[in-house]
């Protein structure tokens, strides 16, 4: 996402990182550059990765490319990624630096487009989650209440 503020889909990310930071756990949040991003603190680093381009697809590709470069430079104990197209490949491209890293692939909600576009997006989300699971060894769709599979529309 291009910003870091409590809003619709970003509220869980925002609250989670704030709570960890308040407990003196160092948190780094990488975002696309955006003027609405709030400031961090001593234990919360919010780092804009790239500027917003005229086309959101170009911005996303530049963001993922630069994010891979950043993740290759520093080791993290946990990397928590939110489902956006392409992030399922991060564990492969960042494997050497992130050997003992615990990866979390977080799907908050699917995009609501309606019609055929929603069906394709849902199937892409399921594919990416399963791919991410194979790469990281984490079983996808296994949440606290024991859900083992995700249904698509």
């Amino acid at each position: 996402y291009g910003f870091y503020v409590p809003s619709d889909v970003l509220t869980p990310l925002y609250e989670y990182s704030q709570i960890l930071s308040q407990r003196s756990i160092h948190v780094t949040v990488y975002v696309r550059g955006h003027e609405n991003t709030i400031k961090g603190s001593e234990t919360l680093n919010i780092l804009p990765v790239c500027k917003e381009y005229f086309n959101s697809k170009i911005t996303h590709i530049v963001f993922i490319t630069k994010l891979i470069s950043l993740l290759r430079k520093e080791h993290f104990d946990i990397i928590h990624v939110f489902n956006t197209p392409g992030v399922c490949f991060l564990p492969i491209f960042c494997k050497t630096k992130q050997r003992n890293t615990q990866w979390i692939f977080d799907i908050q909600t699917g995009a609501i487009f309606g019609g055929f576009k929603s069906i394709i997006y849902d199937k892409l989300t399921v594919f990416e989650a399963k791919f991410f699971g194979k790469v990281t060894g984490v079983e996808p769709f296994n949440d606290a209440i024991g859900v083992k599979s995700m249904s698509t529309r």
Side-chain angles (χ1 to χ4, degrees):
Y1 295 101
F3 46 89
Y4 174 75
V5 292
S7 66
D8 301 337
V9 296
L10 291 181
T11 299
L13 168 66
Y14 175 83
E15 291 178 353
Y16 184 57
S17 59
Q18 291 291 318
I19 289 168
L20 290 174
S21 175
Q22 290 166 5
R23 293 181 178 170
S24 298
I25 297 170
H26 291 273
V27 177
T28 301
V29 178
Y30 291 113
V31 297
R32 296 188 317 236
H34 198 280
E35 63 277 357
N36 291 337
T37 299
I38 65 165
K39 300 292 180 209
S41 67
E42 190 175 313
T43 56
L44 178 62
N45 296 322
I46 302 164
L47 305 173
V49 173
C50 68
K51 67 179 185 172
E52 295 286 331
Y53 293 93
F54 62 92
N55 183 314
S56 65
K57 288 181 175 59
I58 291 172
T59 302
H60 186 72
I61 291 168
V62 171
F63 173 73
I64 293 292
T65 304
K66 288 186 175 189
L67 184 60
I68 289 168
S69 176
L70 290 167
L71 292 176
R72 285 180 169 174
K73 292 178 183 173
E74 188 176 346
H75 175 75
F76 295 97
D77 296 324
I78 298 172
I79 298 179
H80 188 150
V81 294
F82 276 78
N83 177 42
T84 58
V87 296
C88 69
F89 300 107
L90 288 177
I92 290 175
F93 292 118
C94 304
K95 191 182 288 185
T96 49
K97 192 66 175 183
Q98 308 302 340
R99 272 179 212 246
N100 297 319
T101 298
Q102 297 297 309
W103 290 83
I104 300 170
F105 187 72
D106 198 332
I107 303 171
Q108 291 295 323
T109 185
I112 302 169
F113 302 111
F116 185 71
K117 193 173 182 180
S118 282
I119 293 169
I120 296 300
Y121 187 85
D122 288 349
K123 293 202 179 295
L124 178 64
T125 299
V126 170
F127 166 79
E128 288 194 336
K130 288 182 178 179
F131 181 86
F132 189 89
K134 291 246 187 249
V135 172
T136 61
V138 176
E139 185 178 340
F141 312 121
N142 191 9
D143 65 14
I145 58 172
V147 174
K148 296 283 185 189
S149 64
M150 178 175 152
S151 62
T152 58
R153 288 177 222 149

